[in-house]
Amino acid sequence: MQTFKVDSPYNNQIKLKVSQGHFATTSSHINYYIDLTTLKARSSEAKAVAKSMASEYIASSVIDTIVCIDGTEVIGAYLADELTASGIISMNQHGTMYVITPEVNSVGQLTFKDNVIPMIHSRHVLLLLATITTGHTTEKAIECIEYYGGSISGISAIFSASDEVEGHEIHSIFHKNDIEGYASYSSHNCPYCQSGVKLDGLVSAGGYSEIR
């Protein structure tokens, strides 16, 4: 597989590690795997990502809670600090933001435990994801947040192939246009499968598993 890096025009610490091939996610087949491991787990890079994301929101915004998907909790914590420092308003009594992650039940639905629901109900929520490809996970997260009584104040991602999901604008550091030829296909309409090209690996929020 050919691997290369894509630099962010905003911060030279933020780089996408991209591998070209034939990969399957839970909802699609893609021709590039984007490795976000260090951006999510290395503190200096996670902080740089958070700073870049925070610049998309103005001081008149209200954000009470950050809901983290795809293992973005480290970024979420830094993002809460960056937003607070920039003057973002929180309606929480203590004046700081909650940073939480939903659970996944046995049928794949996102849920929140009873002790966490007060951090969602009647709160202004920023949804944070690593990547958005088909938008399926984002739609589930929006549905979950709204089910528990929260309202979406914004959606941020490191990489997004979409400009909006369910009428909500996506704020992303990288867009699919930054990776020449990036494409996502349904498993039933994948040209690689139709041409007999075997999968190189399986991709999930946790990373990449090679198929040997």
Side-chain angles (χ1 to χ4, degrees):
M1 291 184 295
Q2 180 185 4
T3 300
F4 58 94
K5 291 185 178 181
V6 179
D7 294 335
S8 164
Y10 311 107
N11 190 316
N12 59 15
Q13 283 186 281
I14 307 174
K15 301 177 186 292
L16 285 187
K17 183 179 178 182
V18 182
S19 298
Q20 188 172 14
H22 179 201
F23 309 97
T25 73
T26 55
S27 56
S28 67
H29 284 203
I30 51 179
N31 60 344
Y32 286 97
Y33 164 57
I34 301 170
D35 185 357
L36 302 175
T37 305
T38 59
L39 291 179
K40 293 190 293 182
R42 185 177 291 161
S43 63
S44 60
E45 294 180 33
K47 189 172 184 178
V49 169
K51 187 171 184 177
S52 180
M53 287 179 169
S55 67
E56 295 286 349
Y57 300 92
I58 59 176
S60 59
S61 299
V62 178
I63 298 173
D64 303 313
T65 301
I66 300 175
V67 171
C68 302
I69 309 290
D70 301 337
T72 56
E73 292 87 350
V74 176
I75 296 172
Y78 282 121
L79 182 56
D81 284 344
E82 290 287 342
L83 291 172
T84 301
S86 68
I88 295 295
I89 301 168
S90 169
M91 302 301 290
N92 296 327
Q93 186 175 9
H94 43 69
T96 59
M97 297 176 194
Y98 297 111
V99 181
I100 60 176
T101 302
E103 297 188 3
V104 183
N105 66 18
S106 59
V107 295
Q109 295 174 317
L110 299 179
T111 65
F112 290 103
K113 295 294 188 183
D114 289 353
N115 57 305
V116 178
I117 291 174
M119 303 177 189
I120 293 292
H121 185 72
S122 298
R123 307 290 180 182
H124 301 84
V125 178
L126 172 59
L127 178 58
L128 174 61
L129 303 99
T131 62
I132 299 174
T133 50
T134 63
H136 179 65
T137 299
T138 310
E139 290 171 354
K140 289 201 303 181
I142 293 171
E143 179 183 12
C144 174
I145 291 165
E146 293 180 343
Y147 174 81
Y148 287 103
S151 61
I152 303 295
S153 289
I155 301 176
S156 287
I158 302 173
F159 170 85
S160 180
S162 303
D163 296 317
E164 61 89 22
V165 175
E166 292 193 355
H168 297 283
E169 182 183 2
I170 305 300
H171 299 289
S172 63
I173 297 174
F174 296 94
H175 189 268
K176 67 177 181 180
N177 295 337
D178 295 317
I179 303 174
E180 185 176 357
Y182 178 91
S184 173
Y185 312 97
S186 70
S187 58
H188 303 294
N189 193 34
C190 174
Y192 293 96
C193 293
Q194 293 171 357
S195 300
V197 178
K198 294 183 178 180
L199 286 168
D200 293 302
L202 303 177
V203 176
S204 70
Y208 162 74
S209 298
E210 184 179 357
I211 296 178
R212 302 180 184 277

